[in-house]
Amino acid sequence: MNSAKPPVVGITARTVPVTLQGTDMVVSLSLQSHVDFLAAAGCVPVVLPVRPGVEQLLGQVQGLLVPGGPDLDPALYGQERHPLTRVASTDLDRAELALIGAALTDGLPLLAICRGMQLLNVRCGGTLHQHLPEVTGDDGHRPQGAGFEFGRHVLDLEPASRIARVFGEDTPKTACHHHQAVDRVGEGLTATARTSDGVVEVVEAAGHPFAVGVQWEAGQTEDDRLHRALADAARRR
């Protein structure tokens, strides 16, 4: 009998206003697919409220998922704020940067999605394009429509990279919804996948057991391979 305990994976929460039973309130929550995918992969997912000092909890988990969310404060990477940059909370930025820094230092398996990838890049000293259409000339990475629409892009993967091993011969068409992206890649990171217009869609930390950032909305499609890869790394932890 295998008596090993399942790995615990922390998911950083997003704080949003909601109306429940006619009452307005603010809640901390996670995308349900992140919870479901990690649970199906044999993990115990836990939602981590993002408060100062939350990085002290990392000793209790074997993996960390940092999901999408609002734009980062560009002051964190030495830029003035673009008119279309929407910053929710500098406290949130600093707390998640501390979490990612601790995960990098401790070798904790890390999957950073969308905003999470941008945080990873900035934590390593990189910068961001604050409004991608000014770089690419179109809104293909965040289509403008009546609802929440995805841009679809086929990735060009670096051979022998971790992301190439995750997807093998079946490279997905990404589901993108971002108006910002990596500009200068941070120290110790390698860009291992781009779209045909040159936008960085994956970064990986060199010398780390598993620290992968993806720019697309992983978790918003049925493809759970990244979550399973995080779960495998957490088990090895």
Side-chain angles (χ1 to χ4, degrees):
M1 177 182 292
N2 185 358
S3 61
K5 293 182 179 180
V8 178
V9 175
I11 306 170
T12 58
R14 292 290 166 254
T15 303
V16 296
V18 300
T19 300
L20 184 63
Q21 295 181 337
T23 301
D24 294 334
M25 62 185 71
V26 177
V27 300
S28 291
L29 51 76
S30 168
L31 191 65
Q32 186 62 38
S33 60
H34 293 321
V35 174
D36 291 344
F37 286 168
L38 289 170
C43 297
V44 177
V46 295
V47 179
L48 303 177
V50 185
R51 306 291 299 172
V54 67
E55 70 275 9
Q56 298 174 34
L57 297 176
L58 291 188
Q60 308 302 313
V61 302
Q62 288 74 55
L64 177 66
L65 189 155
V66 181
D71 297 335
L72 280 68
D73 182 357
L76 294 167
Y77 49 95
Q79 293 183 11
E80 297 293 326
R81 188 178 300 188
H82 188 283
L84 295 177
T85 294
R86 298 289 181 261
V87 177
S89 167
T90 55
D91 287 342
L92 171 66
D93 292 345
R94 292 188 176 91
E96 287 197 310
L97 285 169
L99 270 173
I100 287 175
L104 291 173
T105 298
D106 195 40
L108 185 75
L110 168 67
L111 175 59
I113 297 172
C114 198
R115 165 189 162 90
M117 170 171 152
Q118 295 169 8
L119 283 159
L120 173 59
N121 190 59
V122 170
R123 179 62 181 78
C124 293
T127 62
L128 304 177
H129 295 298
Q130 288 193 55
H131 192 55
L132 196 52
E134 295 176 352
V135 178
T136 62
D138 58 47
D139 61 2
H141 289 266
R142 189 177 69 172
Q144 300 301 303
F148 190 91
E149 297 184 19
F150 294 119
R152 301 290 181 172
H153 300 269
V154 176
L155 298 179
D156 181 13
L157 305 181
E158 288 292 326
S161 63
R162 185 177 297 278
I163 198 71
R165 293 195 297 273
V166 169
F167 290 124
E169 298 297 323
D170 182 23
T171 303
K173 183 178 286 187
T174 63
C176 295
H177 192 86
H178 59 94
H179 83 114
Q180 299 192 340
V182 166
D183 181 6
R184 186 181 72 244
V185 177
E187 184 177 354
L189 299 178
T190 302
T192 57
R194 297 175 185 265
T195 50
S196 60
D197 55 7
V199 173
V200 175
E201 286 287 327
V202 180
V203 294
E204 302 177 16
H208 191 284
F210 185 93
V212 176
V214 300
Q215 185 58 71
W216 69 91
E217 297 287 343
Q220 298 272 22
T221 70
E222 295 180 356
D223 193 332
D224 65 350
R225 285 175 288 180
L226 282 165
H227 295 75
R228 284 191 275 124
L230 175 61
D232 290 342
R235 266 188 290 275
R236 292 193 296 270
R237 169 82 171 183

